[in-house]
Amino acid sequence: MNIDLVARDVVINEEVHGRVEQKLERIMERTQMETPARITVENNKGSYVASITLHVKGREIVAQAEEKNMVAAIDEAIEKADRQFKKHQEKMQTKR
């Protein structure tokens, strides 16, 4: 998987980077294709905004979350992207 992690006005340590990779690998286990992912984390007046963009076949999945804690914002955005990805896969299965 091609993961592009962008930090704006924050510093992302190796522990958080590893956690992001681990959670995204769990999502990408369901697809056979190489899926690029872009994660953007920024500090917005005391809260953190995490947005994730996944480019899957037939669709672009975008999820965004805002929390006081950076890790919580990333986790919530990943969960939202996971739900959208599951829904996309279900739709693709029913079309076949």
Side-chain angles (χ1 to χ4, degrees), residues 52-92:
I52 298 175
T53 306
L54 300 172
H55 300 281
V56 296
K57 184 178 178 182
R59 185 164 181 215
E60 182 176 84
I61 295 174
V62 179
Q64 186 172 354
E66 183 173 356
E67 292 286 336
K68 297 283 184 189
N69 183 344
M70 179 176 61
V71 176
I74 293 170
D75 286 346
E76 185 177 336
I78 289 174
E79 291 302 317
K80 286 181 179 181
D82 188 27
R83 285 192 299 267
Q84 289 180 32
F85 186 69
K86 284 179 186 176
K87 189 173 182 179
H88 172 70
Q89 279 191 317
E90 289 171 1
K91 284 184 179 181
M92 296 301 286

